[in-house]
Structure formats: C-alpha cells, structure tokens
Amino acid sequence: MADEVAGEIERGLLRPGDQLPTQRAFARQRRIANSTAIRVYGELVRRGLAVGEVGRGTFVRAAPPHPGGSASLAEQPRRADAPPVNLELNYPVTQGQSELMARGIAPLLRPDVLMEAARPAAADGTPQARAAAADVLARAGWRPDPAHVLFAGNGRQAIAAAISSLVRPGGRLGVEELTYPLVKAIAERLGVSLVPVAVDEEGMRPDALAAVHRSASPLSAVYVQPTLHNPLSLTAGPQRRAELAAVLGELDLFAVEDTTWAFLADGAPAPLAAYAPDRTVLVDSLSKRLAPGLTVGMLTAPPAHLDVLARTLRSGAWTAGGVNLEAVVRWCGDGTVDSVVAAKRVDAEVRHRVVRERLGVGAGAVAVAGSGARSGRVRVDPRSYFCWWELPAHWRAEAFVAAAAERGVAVTPGSAFAVGERSAPGAIRIGLASPPVDVLGDALGVLADLVRSAGPGAGTDARMP
C-alpha cells in the first residue's frame, strides 16, 4: 500500500505540500483497517515521503531525503529520525528559572504542608491564592478585586470555562479573523460557531464587531486578545480599548479577554477589563510566565457572573489543583514570578535581535519589513515571542511548511489561525521562544534561504535546487 502511494507521489498525482487524507479516511478509501492505515503512514514517514504535523495532519514532503553526511542544517534535508527545530511550540525557559522555582516550592515537600495543599480546591481557591493572582494580573494602575478571581487548571481550561459560561451550544462567538487555534478547537467541542471579525493595526475593529453582531444572528459573546495578539503581535491602544468597551455596552455583549502573553508587554495599557469591568471575563495563566506543566489558569469576572462561571468550572472539572495553587502563592510571595518575567522580557528582546539580523526586520515598537516580492513581509513586535511572515506570492503556506520541515524546521501555517470561510492566508507564524538562541538563528537562516532560493512558481513544487 505504501508503494502505491509512493508511486502516486512519483507520478505527480500527489504534489509536495499536499495534505494526505486522515488515516481514518484513507482506510475507508482503500478499504483497509485503521491499524493498517496507521502502518502505511508510518512507512511513508520512514521513507521520507511524508511528514506528520501535530494537530494538522500528514503532508507530502517537499523532496526525498538525501543520503547522510555531515552537512549543516541548511545544506541537507532532515533525516526522518532527527528531531526538528520546533518553531511551533512557544514555551520560554530562562537561565536560572528552574532553581528559582525549586526553591519556592521546597517547603511543599514537608509531609504536613503537602497533605494540606493536596486537599481539593474550590473554584475560588484560597484567599492567599486570590490575592497572589490579583498581584500577578495587575498592570497599568489596574488591579482586579481578589474577590472576583477564580481558578482553572490551566489557561486552556480557563478559556473553555469562560466561553462555555457565556455561549450556549449553537451560539455564535465573535473572534479576530485570525485567532488562537485552541479557541477553534474549544468552540468545536462546545458546539459554538466562531464568527470572524475584521482587524486593523490595533486588533479587533469596534465598527466591524458592531456590524457582525447586527447582521444575521447576533453574537453571544466575543473573544479578543488586545495585547500581543497571537499570531499578529498587535496591541490596542487606550482609545481602541475604550471604543471596544463602548461597543460592548451598546450591544449588551460580554467579552472574553485573553491576556496570556500580556506579561511581556511592559508599559501596555490597562486590560479591556479595566474599561468594561461589568462586561469582561479576563483569562490568563502562568504557563508562559513560568512553566506549562505546573500552572494554573486565572479568571476575573464581574460579580454578577461569578457564580455562573464558578459552576461552569466545577461542572467541567476545570478547577485548579490545591498543590498548584499553593505553589503559585509561594512563587508570587518570594519574587519568583517577577524575576522570571523580567528575564523573559530581556530574552524576547535578545531573540528579536536575531530576527532582525536573520530576516532583515527593522527595529521599532512594531516593525513590518522585508524586501518585497521575493521575501514577503515579516510583522513583529520586539516584545513578543512570535512573528508573522507573509510569504511572497510564489509560495503557498502549506508547501513552505513542508519544505521547511524537510530542512529540519517546524513552523505553523497561517491556516491554523484562520476562522470561517476566508481563504487561508499565505503566511506562517514563527515561534521564537523554545530553541536556544544560536539554534533559533540557524533555523531562521534556513527559512530566509528557503524563501530566497525558490523561483517564481516554486511554491507548487517547493524543491530546493
């Protein structure tokens, strides 16, 4: 069966960058067992004819792998068994972070302390945890009332609970036209329809939000990222936030405000929750500030919505664990959170210097750069841990992703962020946080060389010379 697919690739019936059917669909098409389809796809990957991308599927590789040798990352395709440089995941870790975190939770290893912390926790945690979370979330003169703070196991659960508490199955949730991919998955699981809302240089447009709400069926709520929007790195100014708050009031809408990346934006305006306190559920977490595996999700909500949100957290089994809450209290109290956040802000600046060097992006609060038709445009904010690369016309995003994977670099196509029936953007998101800085530089160099080396129309083939 693998030989048959290999023949289709060789004859050009399947082209580099083409997505293969899901394994279940492949099994139905070929009238084979699902287990056999899994083995077939595994064999295609082993031969270097296909590449599997977590969360998106399996794609025909851009070129067959070349035999071994000691060539560098840029000089030869990645071996099928070699790990890629992952510029999809975005989990920053700074030097000394582990030691700080270990010291902060060392007292939890005492049996009496551990057993007390291991008791079940309510949705509103403990008074100490609420006060600590309020301190973490505070910025630009705004600090939430600790009595309005609730907890989830992580940021994803916080988003799911917030959406579920505001939008019933079958309801409509407005989102930026490019949005966090996990929100797409959460909405699908909850039976919620996502409705794209146009954005500009400051994020979601208030006039577009009003127009969408007033056309066809009204929205039940809106999900928005006003600070360091993922993937575009956009940040709304104070006036834009005030305008959004006014529209929420006019339309009688609630907003779910995601501030997960806002900790990097030192000096950013107060959150939307400060402008529309009676209509905003703010969600955040410690996964990006500290670590993805030992974290909590934090939510603030208007008093009138707290009970509904707490019931949603409990019924969804989304409440935080007591040990994690106690760890948060200690990390906030001993300065660990503040120290790691400061280090990550510096680290983000260092990584953007590498972006400027490797991709030719100019400096500035928000830089949009590139050399035009041949290189496309790179959109960045030097405070963020990602950038958005609008590829030149001769590259399709999926083909570029496949070609980059062939050279050992994993990036995310723009289609992962697109909402609704709009055509998938010819762009990729590059996560900057995970690899060491020198490895990041090499990987960015590979991507830059890949764009420059492809001639007009090469995006349909994606083969290096």
Side-chain angles (χ1 to χ4, degrees), residues 315-339:
S315 63
W318 291 324
T319 53
V323 173
N324 285 23
L325 287 176
E326 183 61 27
V328 169
V329 171
R330 294 174 183 274
W331 284 328
C332 292
D334 68 6
T336 294
V337 173
D338 290 340
S339 297

Side-chain angles (χ1 to χ4, degrees), residues 210-439:
V212 166
H213 181 72
R214 289 169 175 152
S215 65
S217 301
L219 301 175
S220 300
V222 60
Y223 167 86
V224 63
Q225 307 169 79
T227 307
L228 294 184
H229 172 276
N230 180 13
L232 298 177
S233 297
L234 305 174
T235 295
Q239 182 175 347
R240 171 57 58 86
R241 294 169 194 247
E243 292 169 350
L244 278 173
V247 169
L248 293 176
E250 179 185 343
L251 302 178
D252 192 23
L253 270 180
F254 266 80
V256 177
E257 179 184 14
D258 187 344
T259 62
T260 301
W261 288 108
F263 74 94
L264 290 171
D266 190 21
L272 181 62
Y275 293 83
D278 296 331
R279 297 193 172 277
T280 305
V281 176
L282 182 147
V283 298
D284 207 323
S285 80
L286 290 180
S287 62
K288 306 302 184 184
R289 287 177 176 86
L290 293 179
L294 186 56
T295 186
V296 296
M298 300 169 285
L299 307 95
T300 70
H305 193 65
L306 280 172
D307 287 345
V308 172
L309 186 54
R311 289 198 300 271
T312 303
L313 286 163
R314 290 192 297 270
S315 63
W318 291 324
T319 53
V323 173
N324 285 23
L325 287 176
E326 183 61 27
V328 169
V329 171
R330 294 174 183 274
W331 284 328
C332 292
D334 68 6
T336 294
V337 173
D338 290 340
S339 297
V340 175
V341 165
K344 288 186 177 180
R345 288 173 177 170
V346 173
D347 181 59
E349 293 176 0
V350 169
R351 291 170 184 270
H352 272 283
R353 286 201 293 269
V354 177
V355 171
R356 291 196 293 270
E357 293 168 0
R358 294 290 187 153
L359 302 186
V361 176
V366 177
V368 179
S371 57
R374 292 296 302 169
S375 297
R377 301 196 318 155
V378 180
R379 178 187 296 275
V380 300
D381 183 316
R383 301 171 297 181
S384 74
Y385 266 126
F386 40 81
C387 59
W388 181 252
W389 195 346
E390 298 170 359
L391 297 169
H394 59 269
W395 273 111
R396 289 185 298 109
E398 296 290 350
F400 187 88
V401 168
E406 174 71 22
R407 287 150 179 82
V409 182
V411 293
T412 309
S415 59
F417 303 90
V419 178
E421 297 179 354
R422 62 164 286 167
S423 58
I428 60 170
R429 193 202 72 165
I430 303 173
L432 307 175
S434 298
V437 172
D438 58 338
V439 175

Side-chain angles (χ1 to χ4, degrees), residues 44-52 61 63-85 402-409:
L44 293 171
V45 170
R46 188 191 68 80
R47 296 186 190 183
L49 297 174
V51 57
R61 289 181 67 148
H66 297 311
S70 58
S72 69
L73 179 66
E75 292 171 339
Q76 76 170 40
R78 177 174 63 90
R79 301 189 318 275
D81 60 345
V85 178
E406 174 71 22
R407 287 150 179 82
V409 182

Side-chain angles (χ1 to χ4, degrees), residues 53-54 56 85-90 410-413 429-431:
E53 299 174 14
V54 176
R56 295 196 303 278
V85 178
N86 196 323
L87 303 185
E88 292 189 285
L89 297 178
N90 233 0
V411 293
T412 309
R429 193 202 72 165
I430 303 173

